[in-house]
Structures are given as structure tokens and as C-alpha cells.
Amino acid sequence: MLERDFLLTLEFDNEVVAYTTQPFSIKYSLDGGKRRYTPDILAKYRDNSFKSFEVKPLIKFEKPQNKIKFLALRDFFLQKLDHPLVLMSCADIYRGAQIENLKRLYPFRQQPIQVIEGSESLEIPTLLTCGMLQELLVDVTDLPYQCAMQFIAHQYFDWDVTKPLSNSTQLIKIGEISCTL
């Protein structure tokens, strides 16, 4: 469940172009012995860089033997694989309402932005609330809620993702919004 929720955050990271789980295994040395390790996730980014991720409850990262293990692995990844191994705990993933918001928005992220006839005259202010966005869309679409959620899911707006998404959520428009052909 923790890994699944972390994958959801990658789905909303516009810099991530691809990811895979259990991507490869390596052999490394620790305390004079040979060990095998498989990262949980490998992500590729727009700039062609990579990051491997280990996703675990924080308590597991805090165990003394795991601190030593992951310190060695992080060095190994940087030196031998030329990309970082990033440790992600529940504290990193479950920030406020982030996961619940992303779960709510995920279906809208999978849909393309609707083409709305007559929307070229639609003026969307830089600062507004989610409810105000829906009200603006009432005149140009029969589905103002769905359209607003698509804009938010496709990150046309910045907002505090750690707070529950509601009609009073403050949105900041990022760039121009196009919903025409």
C-alpha cells in the first residue's frame, strides 16, 4: 500500500516520463559479505536522469542495521550506477491530505482536457478558489466540476496539496489554460 501510494505521487510528477517496479537487482559488499539488493522503483525523468527509490515505513529505515545497509547502497548507486537511491518513508508520502487528493484527482488525470467551444473568451484569473473555477466554467460546459478537476489534475493550477481539496481551496493559475482546438 505504501509503494502504491508513492507510485501515485510519481503519476503526478510532470518531470517523470516513466517508472517501473522491482527494476533490477545488484550485488554489493557489506561487512565483508556479498549481498543482493533490488530497489522498489526506478523512475526516468524528462532530462534523461534516473532515480531509484526504496519505499519503507520510517521505523525500518531507523533500524541500525538498515542505516548501515542503506548508507552503503546509496554510495554504491551514486558511484556504480550514476544515479541516486532515494529513501522514501511514510512521513515523505503521507503529507497531510496529499494522497487522498491525488486519489480523487487520478481519474481526471487520465482524461484529456475537454475541448470547450466558446472558451477562447473565458478569462480565468491568476488567483481563485476551486468553487470560483467551477462557477466560471458553468457558462462554457455542461460539466463544470469535471472540467475544473481536469484542469487541477493536469496541473494548470498550483495549490497546497497537503490540505483537503474543496470549493474553498485557493488555486494559483500556472501559465495559460487552453481548452480549445
Side-chain angles (χ1 to χ4, degrees), residues 25 39 50 61 70 72 92 103 107 114 130 132 134 147 156-157:
S25 292
F50 291 87
F61 286 134
F70 287 115
D92 301 308
K103 285 178 182 177
Q114 295 178 8
C130 187
M132 290 168 59
Q134 291 175 57
C147 191
Y156 284 96
F157 293 92

Side-chain angles (χ1 to χ4, degrees), residues 29-180:
S29 298
L30 183 65
D31 296 332
K34 290 281 186 194
R35 312 251 177 132
R36 186 172 168 255
Y37 171 74
T38 303
D40 292 323
I41 298 154
L42 175 67
K44 181 179 180 182
Y45 291 82
R46 285 192 191 284
D47 64 1
N48 286 319
S49 66
F50 291 87
K51 287 183 186 174
S52 289
F53 294 92
E54 181 66 27
V55 181
K56 296 242 178 293
L58 183 59
I59 195 163
K60 289 195 176 188
F61 286 134
E62 292 176 340
K63 289 182 177 181
Q65 69 270 23
N66 283 342
K67 284 184 178 184
I68 294 166
K69 170 186 172 179
F70 287 115
L71 184 60
L73 282 168
R74 290 170 99 176
D75 287 343
F76 181 92
F77 271 68
L78 286 174
Q79 293 173 11
K80 304 285 186 190
L81 301 178
D82 201 30
H83 74 265
L85 172 64
V86 180
L87 308 181
M88 297 299 295
S89 73
C90 43
D92 301 308
I93 298 165
Y94 298 112
R95 298 180 314 118
Q98 172 178 286
I99 295 301
E100 290 310 311
N101 287 331
L102 297 182
K103 285 178 182 177
R104 180 177 172 193
L105 290 171
Y106 184 74
F108 300 104
R109 178 89 171 172
Q110 301 309 304
Q111 301 168 1
I113 298 293
Q114 295 178 8
V115 173
I116 304 172
E117 291 187 34
S119 64
E120 53 277 346
S121 63
L122 184 64
E123 298 261 343
I124 299 177
T126 302
L127 299 171
L128 71 166
T129 65
C130 187
M132 290 168 59
L133 177 60
Q134 291 175 57
E135 288 173 21
L136 286 170
L137 294 169
V138 164
D139 293 333
V140 293
T141 180
D142 293 333
L143 303 168
Y145 172 80
Q146 287 85 345
C147 191
M149 292 299 107
Q150 286 176 341
F151 285 143
I152 295 167
H154 285 274
Q155 299 176 337
Y156 284 96
F157 293 92
D158 192 18
W159 57 291
D160 186 352
V161 72
T162 65
K163 295 189 174 147
L165 182 59
S166 69
N167 281 345
S168 62
T169 298
Q170 294 290 316
L171 305 174
I172 303 169
K173 184 173 72 168
I174 303 171
E176 289 304 308
I177 294 176
S178 175
C179 46
T180 60

